[in-house]
Amino acid sequence: MNIKQGQALVVGAGISGIRSALDLAEAGCRVTLIDSAPHMGGVLGKLEHQFPTDGCGMCRMLPVTDRDSAFQGCLRKGLIHENVEVKLATRLLKVEGEPGNLRATLETQAPIVDPDLCTGCNLCFEVCPVTIADPFNLGLSRTRAIHLPVPHAVPNIYTIDMDHCTLCGECEKACPFDAITLPLNKKDSFSVLVVDDELILRESLKDWLEFEGFKVETAASGKEALERLDATPFSMVLLDIKMPDMDGTEVLSRAKELFPELPVVMMTAYATVETAVGTMQTGALDYVVKPFDPEKIISLVTEAYLNGLPDHRRFPEVEVGAVILATGVDYYDPTTGSNTFGYKILKDVVTNLELERILSQTGPFEGELKRPSDGRVPRRMAWIQCVGSRQKDFPVCSSICCMIALKEAVLVRKLSRGTIETVVYFMDMRCSGKEFEDYRNRAENEYGVILKRARPHSVCPVEEPDPESDPKSGPGSDSDSGPVRLKLTVSEDSGKTTDELFDMVVLSVGQRPSKATADLVAATKLSLNSWGFLSPQVLDDSLDHGNKTGVFVAGSTSGLREIGESVIYSSWAANLALGAIRSTTSTVSSAGPDAGSKDGNKKAPVVFRDVSREIPDIGVVVCQCPNHLDVEPQIAALVGGDVHVSQVIKKERICTRAGWDDLVHTLEGSRFNRLIVVVCNPMFFVKKKGELSAALALDPVYIEFVGIEGDQPVASSVGMGLARLRHLARLNIRISTMVPRVLVVGGGIGGMSAALGVARAGFEAVLVESSSKLGGNLAWLDKTIHGDDFQELLNITRDRIEKTPGITVLTNAVVDNTRGGVGRYSTVVRTRSAESNDRPSNSVESNLDESNPEALNSHDSSPKDKKNVCKAPDQLREIFHGAVILATGGEEAGTTAYGYGTNQAVMTNREVEAALKQGTLDPGAMNAVVMIQCVDSREARVDARPYCSRICCASSLKHALELKRLNPEIDIYVLYREMMTQGFTEAYYKEARDLGVIFIRYTLDGKPEVAFESDHAVVKILDPILDRFLEIRADLVVLATGVVTRQLEPLAQIFNAGVDQYGFFDEADPKWRPVDALTGGVFACGLALGPRNVEESIASAGAAAMGAVRLVSSCQTAVPAVTAAIKQSLCSVCEQCIQACVFGARALDPNTNRIRIDPVLCQGCGACASVCPNSASFVNNFLDQQMFEIIDAAV
Amino acid sequence: MEETYEIKGANRLDALRTFLGSLFETDNIGSILVPVQSETTHAIMPTLVSDPAVLAMADPFAPCFPLNGAKLVSKLTKRPGDKTMAVVLRPCELRALVELVKIKQARMDHLITISFDCPGAYSNKDFNRLPDRQESHTLEFLEKRLESGFQYHDHVQDQDQVQNQDQNQDQDKNEISLTTACSICTSPFPENADICITLVDQPADTLGLFATTDRGRELLMGRTSSVKPLPKTRDESIKAVLAQNKDAEKKVFEALSSKTATLEKLGIYLSACVNCYNCRVACPVCFCRECVFNTDVFDYEPFQYATWAKNKGSLRMPMDTVFFHVTRMIHMGLSCVGCGQCSNACPNDIPLAELFVSVGKEAQKGFSYGAGKDLDEPFPLSIFFENEFQDVTGI
């Protein structure tokens, strides 16, 4: 009855939204995924290469257990999952209600091209007379007003750019399927009032808009404007702000009094932007900054016009348990600033995103690197970092541009085989995170990317003949003058400016709050941080601050982050959302959340016939259209002699709704056990396969769509399809029940958050901590750099652990060993004798048998004090669980550098934090403090760590600010190699400099030297700006030594997971599967995963919990059709398949001496089958015989 | 230099038998697998000996190599046991055994491997034609081989003779050649046996013994033999043999590549094949319980043959001949130890050994892998390097 049960709304269908949607869908929720764009994929749909692999890999986010629930194809084509409903060109308007019980109002436009009717035949595109800049290629190529929004989407539906469409109607006439319904052209009755005191502006706006077909009148003053509005109703007003007689803002408020619904767009000069922003609150629709692009105005007017049309907009409502916002960020537009780099003026100055399109196979030059201006191959390229970031008025680092620039430069070096010189101009190369520093080193040393620490201030075109190129070989008539090169004026450390010539300049543009953010704030009542971004829920959730809205923020919406972190934040949001949804659903049974919620609001599930052992009885459907008249006779001839084919059905245009419905109707109740459908484009039908499957009561595995387009002869395409189909079988095996309990090892903030995340989703968690108390590093931490209290966080979290049903805590306990595998681990936990326990131990769990699942379940009903704290004398207990989360954390690395340990004046960051917290440090008595960053870090030495520990720069800044606050007179010197202050931490870097903290950069060749004189230290360092050695007499030297893991490796080995070269957890994929091991069942979070701060640790814990929940939710699902199997009678037990399986899905059963396959872990990759010489190992539905027959049909 | 022990006897065979007999005095060794001449049939076959008296007929040096003993060791050791067994294997047999251990078809944990300077062998056909197969023949053969400096030049006079053994035999009925595999063998000396027996440059009544493993050293220590360094000339002699065989190998491979360069030529080369799969049965590293060519993978529907015949105009039967051999090269090439049993087993005298050895060596070179060289060297297909063979993969 309760239709909202298990429903979630995800706003934004980029990778963050996709991740959140998949998380919830896999956990059994119905998800509505919306995006304001007409396509999915967000920014990443446009990117083909991601660091550190320089490839893609987005598909690794697809489900790994219930794989058949989603279309197993390229995710850049789109997400197709049985639990996810996708609505494109849709926005979120309003959310009302309580968490778990929300009503969301959406806004969507009446589709001009009907997605049910459009077949992607391209006839409309051919007749469209309007060419526009292709938005997918960021304007680097041209397309038509009616076009495909993404070249590779599935299914691919045309869309019309209504800003440019002239409503000529050609496409409507050309469409053979009546899929296009253009709005009536009533532009001449849409009257626009242009109000400006400048004649020239009034007149040109009038001309532009009248050219577009609108009716335009003008007013030269505010007073006149109000008179005209009074006299005749207008559809829209374009209003200047600064006018002599009456200010635009006043006109606006008066006009709004008269006509509250009147759309008004403010026009302003650069100086009054803030006023313009203010007018938005008094009802202005938008504002434009003069001088503006006519296109911009036309698009605003067109939008207002379309919105005013009756039936143009629709407002569907959905009832959901939670909402996730994943709308991402916008990118800085260099033209909005002083634009000294000449962006949009010089064609060869492009943004980093534009370069990604240029490098793309579907880009403007089909993957060839050329200059947009003249198509020449550049010989020198420059990247300028921090464009729009780390500025005075926006002291925020965009976090990811350094890596993007390095990756792009590496790609260019690879693509050009080292012939194009690449120079990256940067302030700090921010490569924090475990693999980042290594990538930077490879970029420099292996690929020859040149990094220059300098700030270019402008780019100018230079028309000098290029001495190295032969002008005659240049293209076209320009050949007599050389190509225009770009002169970069660079100021160096010394203050000297130099000029350098390049052929292309790439601007690493930074983040800005997404335009959609303002709408989302209006819709959801969430608040923004001081830089205009939504905050991640760490405060709301973990500190119980803000309001409980049931709305969660995912991915980059709370600030740019690299893919791996975005994915983590999205899974975290999904975990919180799941908590909100489950909190209102019925009580959770011991078998985990009831499986009913998965199908709860679907139609009665179709029961498929079991035809796996039947002799093939194949139906052949041939789609017939004027383009393929000769196909049917050819197929009839081909299948004539095939004993397995019982009928050939000819259908007209099944790509249309009518044709399709006719086919479904015809097939209803047919007894075929295999079906082959011959069509133009099989990808078009991926989403619709389920309807045929239902009509025939046949598992979709047995339905094959075969394409006849391309050079392939019809007979071989269909023959291959038939050969494949004859051997298809869906074995009726189901994945066995998973133990609905998750073991969490490590009771720091990561482990505690993970346990809460598991419990929130309705599963049990057992939290194992080796010490006597929960808390980990939080015990000694004081405050975050933002000033939030860690102790409060610790107390709240501990309290929640106490109060949350379903969490069992074992302190003084360590994992001893484990048996079983994914879904059914049996782990022995050794609880050490607890002589130091301050509480009397409970004797309840002294017996091993009581730790079995039933016994643990029974704890739920036992009194809380017994349930939550189990302390008992030395004992072993066996815990059954389906997944494990490793949260063993990390600690500050030790050091002997800079006299640490020999003199009390040298302390580590951790010691300073603790001393500040306890008040044992007296800043008042200090004159100078030196902080040395990167101690034993980012170095290739054996006794150093090659990675950046990511958190030390922020810690040092935090301490510097605190010391300055306690004693403003204190001199603080931070000796650094790179200040790694990503994101909003950058603001504190600026604050510290404003407060007089002195930052001195050093290199590995010139490390600081520390000597001691009586009670103070003397630090000697070369200041690169002054180019002189400084000697600083310091009362205190603080070392930032970085982070290492604790106790991880042996534990990872026990659970058959690995650690990476740095000793951190080896994740399956740093971008797309950042918290789970390749071998399944094992997740990690917090510092065990890699260096990260407390907020990031909490996020990763949520993601790990979500991963474990996804896994244990998938019990009783069918084994995917493509899964490896083994013919025991042929197997020689050579064990090569075990070694070949990267997923750890194979093992030798020592009792039977046979190979066993775990169908949960098996991903059907086929490595085992290819290593097996006699096909004892094989992959279902990819059989040898089948392949031979397919090849035979093909050749 | 390894410590070498010396065993004396009436002759080389006697010395060997004495040594093998002494192994039974060790607590743990319960049996020895060694070629023994049957008193009734006179055939020399690997025999699992537990009664020391039977060793009187042991004859591993005879130019008789009926089958590769590694497969037999696999049968004997596939499951874990606790009784130690000694096995006397030619170097190529030992290499095959190492490969089988890597693919879990045999175990070495209770095995003492003994190998020796291999004087080579005749083909089964040639050996079985010999009128006299007594002990004296073996000693005579050994003497001749050692006299000639353990070189093969007597037998490998020029390329034609290597290529055409029949002609060679026609010309000189009394002179039987070693098999091609033996003539082009580039590792006929024991390398990784627990105990290595040397013949080269040893006097006619002695054998040298040295160990290459701790297990072997332990066994040799306290034997009743004297410690004596290897003859100084041994290294030189070995080098000369290897150079000679390498040279022969080069000639054989050159001739082979002109005969098998294209798929069509390969078809002609293999045209006498009747798909009896004897080569596969004889191959020591073909370890499948059932060959894929015997399974239903190639069980075509009867109408299929008619369709193919119709499409192509004709259909050679049996089918899949070249496919079978190519598949075997792919499956076994990396493990090919060059023992030559495939040629030995072929009823139609197809010179398979040189084909497999040449393909195998190339494949092994590609992965810097030596079949049977080192138990700890992982099998190339079981390990993965992302940046391997970029010229082939194009990545």
Side-chain angles (χ1 to χ4, degrees), chain A residues 542-543 749 752 778 789-803:
Chain A
S542 307
L543 286 177
I749 185 65
M752 289 191 288
L778 278 196
D789 190 346
F790 282 128
Q791 294 315 304
E792 190 192 344
L793 173 67
L794 176 57
N795 293 335
I796 290 174
T797 312
R798 272 196 198 136
D799 188 48
R800 282 193 188 175
I801 295 269
E802 285 273 334
K803 286 181 184 152

Side-chain angles (χ1 to χ4, degrees), chain B residues 253-325:
Chain B
F253 285 179
E254 272 166 13
L256 178 79
S257 83
S258 71
K259 284 185 183 175
T260 55
T262 64
L263 201 58
E264 198 183 7
K265 283 184 178 178
L266 188 64
I268 296 167
Y269 191 85
L270 298 168
S271 57
C273 179
V274 295
N275 291 32
C276 71
Y277 304 149
N278 283 358
C279 49
R280 197 256 304 156
V281 176
C283 179
V285 290
C286 246
F287 67 96
C288 285
R289 186 181 278 197
E290 184 69 285
C291 180
V292 66
F293 282 88
N294 286 345
T295 66
D296 57 357
V297 167
F298 298 99
D299 243 359
Y300 306 114
E301 295 285 331
F303 78 86
Q304 191 80 66
Y305 294 96
T307 314
W308 282 323
K310 199 177 141 213
N311 289 349
K312 293 190 199 166
S314 68
L315 185 69
R316 180 222 190 254
M317 303 278 278
M319 282 176 53
D320 298 336
T321 304
V322 175
F323 187 27
F324 164 71
H325 289 286

